[in-house]
Amino acid sequence: MSTAADPSESADDDTVEVEPDVAADAIDLDTYDGPTESLSLVEAVRDGLGLELARDDSVLVLGEDVGTNGGVFRATEHLQDEFGPHRVIDTPLAESAIVGSSIGLAISGMRPVAEMQFMGFASPAYDQLVSHAARMRSRSHGQYTLPMVVRMPYGGGIAAPEHHSESREAALVHEPGLKVVTPSTPADAKGLVAAAIRDPDPVIVLEPKRLYRAFREDVPEESYTVPIGEASIRRAGDDLSLFTWGASTQPALAVAEDLAAENGLDVEVVDLRSLSPLDVDTIAESVQKTGRAVVVHEAPKSAGVGAEIVATINEEALYHLEAPVTRVTGFDTPVPLSTLEDFYLPQALRIREGVLETVEA
């Protein structure tokens, strides 16, 4: 069983140690030729959780209905049968208590993985996240870390009621001490979940529920990690950089392929995957190559992560820009109910218009 950080560690040493097995188990998904299985994103999350529960007996899963019912989206289905009620724990409907308990477990040497049923219901846990989880390393001068994960299904696109479709990644990214990742493919989902569990600090895994069962892909059967802090270039291109993450990645790729076929426009699609830390090098290198950029996300536009990316481009690649950077986003309103949801989300038509306006500017 793993233990919390050694309290004897120097209080002056603020270096963030990355545990050796995180990097050692990272694989290149583009060149992997080992055994695979066809999984949806939610199945890949479950597979990653199961392998980590089996690999490390300090790993726990807790949340509302994660045990008997296997989670509201069945991301933890059958895990309690395999690992028992002391490793996969049904909790009361109390998000603050779930995260608060996870903090206590983590500082005691466990590796809890908490599930929020929907991001829109995670607000009561926000105080625990920002007042305690995010600050433990700095508060203890590096003596203690919190190896804990909070998984949150987020985003719209499934015609859910109010409070079920929020995309509030900006609030979490803004908080020093929290790492924030979001997969757009099943293979990334499995690797990012494993990397988050093995990370010595708190990691928020935002799972785009619109993609839970949207498609399947071949996922390595073995246990592996996808490094936190590294973006993925989903489609290389020379004419424009399109930065996105989560569920917006799929329409962005579709637009890029359509424009290549119709207009000969070569759009590079960069899936950021890790929103904190942000892969600044990949962002800068892409814009320095293409000279134009569009940022796509479904969260509200104002003060969002997209604004941070625009600022990063200005700092790192301003003199390479041939046009202002465009944002294609959700609107500064609550996520509407299903009849207006397609208009709210950055669907392919709006992304296409944003790309063409930037190219013509």
Side-chain angles (χ1 to χ4, degrees), residues 210-226:
R210 182 166 26 142
L211 300 184
Y212 266 154
R213 293 175 173 82
F215 63 96
R216 291 176 174 272
E217 71 173 1
D218 290 336
V219 177
E221 292 182 1
E222 64 183 278
S223 175
Y224 64 94
T225 61
V226 169

Side-chain angles (χ1 to χ4, degrees), residues 22-302:
V22 175
D25 286 352
I27 63 174
D28 185 342
L29 292 169
D30 293 330
T31 59
Y32 179 80
D33 61 357
T36 63
E37 56 185 333
S38 178
L39 297 178
S40 66
L41 196 146
V42 72
E43 289 170 341
V45 169
R46 184 189 313 136
D47 193 33
L49 289 171
L51 288 172
E52 291 305 302
L53 281 161
R55 190 188 69 85
D56 182 350
D57 64 5
S58 70
V59 176
L60 303 172
V61 171
L62 68 160
E64 300 154 7
D65 297 326
V66 299
T68 303
N69 290 334
V72 65
F73 290 102
R74 304 297 182 259
T76 56
E77 192 169 35
H78 303 311
L79 293 181
Q80 190 180 72
D81 296 336
E82 184 174 358
F83 296 99
H86 300 295
R87 302 281 308 280
V88 181
I89 304 165
D90 280 319
T91 68
L93 200 161
E95 286 77 7
S96 180
I98 294 169
V99 174
S101 298
S102 297
I103 293 170
L105 288 164
I107 205 167
S108 301
M110 308 303 286
R111 290 182 178 270
V113 183
E115 177 180 291
M116 300 286 103
Q117 286 198 334
F118 294 89
M119 190 181 205
F121 294 144
S123 298
Y126 189 72
D127 176 52
Q128 293 288 350
L129 284 173
V130 303
S131 299
H132 303 292
R135 294 169 179 263
M136 192 59 69
R137 181 183 282 273
S138 61
R139 175 179 288 161
S140 66
H141 299 283
Q143 294 186 71
Y144 294 98
T145 64
L146 286 180
M148 59 178 282
V149 176
V150 181
R151 298 177 36 247
M152 297 187 193
Y154 85 111
I158 63 168
E162 188 180 17
H163 289 306
H164 289 70
S165 303
E166 277 65 18
S167 186
R168 294 175 176 161
E169 56 265 42
L172 298 166
V173 168
H174 188 70
E175 191 61 34
L178 295 180
K179 298 175 183 176
V180 183
V181 300
T182 176
S184 70
T185 68
D188 272 3
K190 179 175 174 178
L192 285 171
V193 164
I197 291 172
R198 301 184 200 184
D199 197 279
D201 291 301
V203 181
I204 311 298
V205 180
L206 301 178
E207 298 169 2
K209 56 182 178 289
R210 182 166 26 142
L211 300 184
Y212 266 154
R213 293 175 173 82
F215 63 96
R216 291 176 174 272
E217 71 173 1
D218 290 336
V219 177
E221 292 182 1
E222 64 183 278
S223 175
Y224 64 94
T225 61
V226 169
I228 294 172
E230 293 186 13
S232 174
I233 299 176
R234 299 293 181 195
R235 183 186 190 282
D238 294 320
D239 295 330
L240 181 141
S241 301
L242 200 162
F243 299 105
T244 190
W245 57 89
S248 297
T249 305
Q250 295 305 319
L253 282 168
V255 168
E257 294 299 334
D258 287 347
L259 290 174
E262 298 167 10
N263 302 20
L265 192 63
D266 199 12
V267 175
E268 180 155 292
V269 178
V270 180
D271 174 7
L272 293 173
R273 293 194 299 200
S274 175
L275 302 181
S276 180
L278 200 59
D279 188 346
V280 173
D281 289 344
T282 296
I283 294 172
E285 289 167 7
S286 181
V287 176
Q288 288 166 6
K289 178 177 66 172
T290 66
R292 300 174 189 273
V294 173
V295 184
V296 178
H297 64 68
E298 66 180 86
K301 182 177 183 179
S302 297

